[in-house]
Amino acid sequence: MRKDIHPPYGPVVFRDKSAGFAFLTRSTATSEKTVDWEDGNTYPVVDVEVSSASHPFYTGTAKVLDTAGRVERFERRFGAR
């Protein structure tokens, strides 16, 4: 890799405020806000809208759409014209 063209890669806390869930990982994302983590160190924190703790797919609240039934219902209503 060439020097001085890549952003710094370091520890960052991603926090999902809607679910009260946070995790520490490494990223190039930065933030002016910081948080004191469980290990006693201070890390930059990035607030996210959706994480695995609040996404319907991961929480098991996702709805399965019956697309075949919708197509059949549409054809019954409006006919194959």
Side-chain angles (χ1 to χ4, degrees), residues 15-18 23 47-56 58:
R15 178 174 56 190
D16 182 357
K17 289 187 134 184
S18 64
F23 59 94
D47 291 323
V48 294
E49 299 291 325
V50 178
S51 71
S52 61
S54 63
H55 193 280
Y58 294 106

Side-chain angles (χ1 to χ4, degrees), residues 74-81:
F74 177 83
E75 287 179 349
R76 270 186 283 142
R77 256 188 174 163
F78 300 106
R81 295 182 183 168

Side-chain angles (χ1 to χ4, degrees), residues 51-77:
S51 71
S52 61
S54 63
H55 193 280
F57 178 79
Y58 294 106
T59 59
T61 59
K63 295 180 182 177
V64 178
L65 298 178
D66 181 20
T67 56
R70 288 181 178 206
V71 171
E72 290 169 0
R73 188 173 62 201
F74 177 83
E75 287 179 349
R76 270 186 283 142
R77 256 188 174 163

Side-chain angles (χ1 to χ4, degrees), residues 29-59:
T30 60
S31 175
E32 296 295 321
K33 295 186 273 182
T34 60
V35 65
D36 293 328
W37 194 243
E38 301 160 355
D39 62 1
N41 294 326
T42 302
Y43 298 106
V45 63
V46 176
D47 291 323
V48 294
E49 299 291 325
V50 178
S51 71
S52 61
S54 63
H55 193 280
F57 178 79
Y58 294 106
T59 59

Side-chain angles (χ1 to χ4, degrees), residues 3-33:
K3 292 183 180 181
D4 301 327
I5 64 166
H6 300 286
Y9 183 71
V12 176
V13 173
F14 286 94
R15 178 174 56 190
D16 182 357
K17 289 187 134 184
S18 64
F21 176 69
F23 59 94
L24 177 65
T25 187
R26 295 179 56 86
S27 176
T28 58
T30 60
S31 175
E32 296 295 321
K33 295 186 273 182

